[in-house]
């Protein structure tokens, strides 16, 4: 009898179900989306008024995280713990991972729009703090001063975009329709002041100059809001004479920057050393005590930056928070992808003129 040829054992192909293929494809796509969002680019909706007229509520922004080097996650879990019973001047613990970034493509530059975490409250993990967009106007090592609302870097004035606004008190002629005036200039906030036709509105410099020639405008003058009663500045009591349009000079610390403590410097930098450098510092009998020991100088461990909102009299920024350490920076706002407002039907809601709009970024000081 002829022997039957035996087949060699081999690998058998295993058929996968269409359902498992879809699950695998979805998992890969979801993983790529997470990687892209956390380390390359992110898309964020803007809803503030502190950057008008550069950005408008309803703008959808493209945030480039890789440009400055993506910040690695600071938490393993979406929770933040803090000792809420600690006193205001104590060093509250933060539960987060060490700060690390990928290598940057470019370093942050003057006048760039940056998404960042507000440097407060101090007991929260940094990446859990509120995200905002502001304009970068001061770099590590700069000697910065605000005079008459204008930013000076050393002895050079910083170029400003045309979209920056300030508050102006304006008096309109009697009988003039204020609602149509508000619509014409796209005014989103303001208030009536003394007198029937006197208002406080925000305008750009060019708009204010144009309104001086408007036949329906009696007077227009720029005003500076006063400091709120009881306001405690992050720059200490040395900032008591400062206001929104006048502050400094301040040297922005950089990694390796050493200060010798004096009555002025200990007061000026104490808040930043305590809450951002995470060193227990206090002033006792005119001496600086750090971690229980008297010290005469301090070397900073982080680079710091100074940010302003473009709606200069109606925004929270470094004048209120203090200087912002590098670990709070999320990414560069590269453009407005599209924009919409709440009024009208679907198509009339779209602000087509703002699609793919690149914000104005003037060159540095001149």
């Amino acid at each position: 009898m002829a022997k039957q040829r035996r087949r060699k054992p081999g690998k058998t192909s295993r058929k996968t179900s269409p359902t498992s293929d879809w699950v695998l494809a979805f998992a890969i796509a979801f993983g790529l989306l997470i990687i892209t969002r956390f380390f390359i680019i992110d898309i964020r909706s803007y809803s503030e008024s502190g950057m008008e007229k550069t950005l408008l509520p309803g703008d959808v922004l493209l945030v480039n995280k890789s440009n400055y080097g993506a910040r690695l996650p600071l938490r393993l879990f979406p929770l933040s713990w803090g000792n809420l019973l600690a006193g205001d001047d104590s060093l509250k613990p933060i539960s987060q991972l060490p700060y690390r970034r990928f290598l940057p493509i470019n370093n942050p530059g003057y006048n760039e729009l940056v998404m960042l975490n507000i440097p407060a409250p101090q007991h929260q993990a940094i990446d859990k703090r509120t995200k905002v967009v502001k304009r970068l106007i001061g770099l590590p090592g700069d000697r910065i001063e605000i005079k008459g609302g204008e930013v000076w870097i050393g002895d050079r004035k910083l170029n400003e975009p045309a979209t920056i606004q300030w508050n102006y008190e304006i008096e309109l002629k009697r009988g003039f329709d204020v609602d149509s005036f508000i619509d014409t200039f796209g005014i989103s906030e303001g208030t009536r002041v003394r007198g029937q036709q006197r208002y406080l509105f925000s305008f750009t410099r060019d708009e204010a100059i144009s309104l001086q020639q408007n036949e329906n405008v009696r007077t227009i003058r720029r005003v500076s809001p006063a400091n709120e009663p009881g306001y405690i500045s992050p720059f200490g009591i040395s900032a008591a004479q400062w206001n929104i349009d006048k502050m400094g000079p301040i040297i922005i610390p950089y990694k390796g920057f050493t200060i010798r403590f004096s009555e002025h410097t200990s007061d000026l930098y104490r808040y930043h050393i305590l809450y951002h450098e995470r060193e227990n510092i206090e002033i006792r009998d005119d001496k600086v005590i750090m971690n229980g020991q008297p010290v005469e100088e301090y070397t900073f461990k982080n680079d710091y930056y100074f940010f302003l909102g473009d709606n200069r009299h109606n925004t929270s920024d470094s004048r209120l928070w203090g200087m912002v350490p590098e670990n709070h920076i999320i990414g560069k706002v590269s453009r407005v992808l599209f924009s919409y407002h709440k009024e009208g039907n679907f198509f009339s809601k779209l602000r087509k003129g703002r699609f793919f709009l690149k914000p104005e970024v003037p060159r540095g000081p001149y």
Side-chain angles (χ1 to χ4, degrees):
M1 294 178 61
K3 292 184 178 180
Q4 290 184 347
R5 301 180 66 181
R6 299 177 64 183
R7 298 179 63 184
K8 293 182 179 180
K11 294 182 179 180
T12 58
S13 60
R14 185 164 60 105
K15 293 185 178 180
T16 58
S17 67
T19 302
S20 62
D21 289 341
W22 276 107
V23 170
L24 178 61
F26 177 81
I28 293 173
F30 182 75
L32 291 174
L33 177 64
I34 294 297
I35 292 172
T36 300
R37 181 183 175 189
F38 277 90
F39 301 111
I40 304 175
I41 58 173
D42 196 4
I43 296 174
R44 293 277 179 175
S45 178
Y46 182 80
S47 59
E48 310 165 47
S49 63
M51 290 297 294
E52 292 187 359
K53 299 189 169 69
T54 302
L55 300 177
L56 302 177
D59 284 351
V60 177
L61 310 176
L62 180 67
V63 182
N64 186 335
K65 294 186 173 181
S66 61
N67 192 71
Y68 301 150
R71 185 179 65 185
L72 282 108
L74 295 172
R75 291 175 294 136
L76 289 176
F77 304 100
L79 294 173
S80 177
W81 298 274
N83 181 9
L84 300 180
L85 300 178
D88 290 340
D89 291 330
S90 63
L91 195 60
K92 301 178 182 180
I94 298 177
S95 180
Q96 64 182 35
L97 298 175
Y99 163 67
R100 296 287 187 276
R101 298 191 95 93
F102 287 113
L103 289 176
I105 299 172
N106 296 298
N107 292 320
Y110 291 111
N111 278 319
E112 291 179 345
L113 300 189
V114 178
M115 177 165 281
L116 62 137
N117 296 102
I118 291 177
Q122 306 304 336
H123 66 275
Q124 277 191 339
I126 291 169
D127 60 345
K128 192 174 176 63
R129 299 172 187 176
T130 303
K131 297 177 178 66
V132 294
V133 176
K134 300 297 173 185
R135 190 176 295 276
L136 175 57
I137 57 93
L139 302 178
D142 282 346
R143 181 183 181 274
I144 187 171
E145 188 172 5
I146 301 177
K147 298 184 288 187
E150 296 179 329
V151 178
W152 289 76
I153 308 297
D155 58 355
R156 299 174 297 166
K157 191 174 75 166
L158 183 67
N159 288 317
E160 61 187 34
T163 49
I164 287 182
Q165 297 188 123
W166 293 271
N167 282 352
Y168 289 84
E169 185 180 295
I170 184 169
E171 182 183 5
L172 303 174
K173 287 186 176 180
R174 289 188 178 182
F176 182 65
D177 184 10
V178 68
D179 291 332
S180 64
F181 181 82
I182 289 173
D183 291 339
T184 300
F185 286 91
I187 298 170
S188 61
E189 58 185 359
T191 184
R192 175 177 283 172
V193 292
R194 64 185 186 280
Q196 188 174 5
Q197 287 292 88
R198 289 181 179 269
Y199 300 89
L200 192 68
F201 293 137
S202 296
F203 299 110
T204 66
R205 192 186 303 273
D206 290 343
E207 287 173 342
I209 293 173
S210 175
L211 284 169
Q212 289 175 349
Q213 312 301 322
N214 190 301
E215 61 179 5
N216 295 304
V217 175
R218 288 182 179 273
T219 59
I220 179 171
R221 66 181 184 89
R222 181 170 147 184
V223 297
S224 179
N227 293 337
E228 295 184 7
Y231 167 65
I232 300 176
S233 171
F235 300 102
I237 58 174
S238 59
Q241 304 303 315
W242 298 353
N243 59 41
I244 285 179
D245 284 342
K246 175 190 174 184
M247 66 181 306
I250 307 163
I251 297 178
I252 303 176
Y254 56 87
K255 191 181 301 183
F257 174 64
T258 300
I259 59 168
R260 287 196 61 83
F261 285 121
S262 64
E263 183 179 356
H264 173 68
T265 58
S266 60
D267 187 49
L268 184 65
Y269 294 109
R270 176 185 173 276
Y271 174 91
H272 301 81
I273 294 174
L274 174 63
Y275 290 120
H276 301 315
E277 300 284 301
R278 309 301 292 174
E279 300 285 355
N280 276 305
I281 179 175
E282 58 180 314
I283 313 299
R284 192 189 307 162
D285 298 327
D286 295 329
K287 294 182 180 180
V288 177
I289 308 299
M290 187 175 296
N291 301 316
Q293 299 295 324
V295 293
E296 295 183 353
E297 62 181 31
Y298 179 76
T299 300
F300 282 85
K301 297 178 288 188
N302 297 288
D303 287 334
Y304 287 79
Y305 298 85
F306 203 99
F307 292 90
L308 292 181
D310 284 0
N311 193 359
R312 291 287 165 85
H313 289 164
N314 302 284
T315 182
S316 297
D317 50 36
S318 285
R319 294 169 293 184
L320 177 66
W321 320 317
M323 295 170 285
V324 179
E326 59 182 303
N327 53 14
H328 285 65
I329 291 178
I330 299 171
K332 176 182 177 179
V333 177
S334 57
R335 64 182 64 243
V336 178
L337 286 181
F338 62 92
S339 184
Y340 62 93
H341 54 79
K342 296 180 181 180
E343 304 297 329
N345 57 39
F346 177 78
F347 290 104
S348 64
K349 286 183 178 181
L350 300 177
R351 302 187 185 106
K352 301 179 182 63
R354 297 187 64 79
F355 281 31
F356 307 107
L357 177 68
K358 190 172 183 178
E360 182 185 358
V361 181
R363 298 183 66 181
Y366 60 84

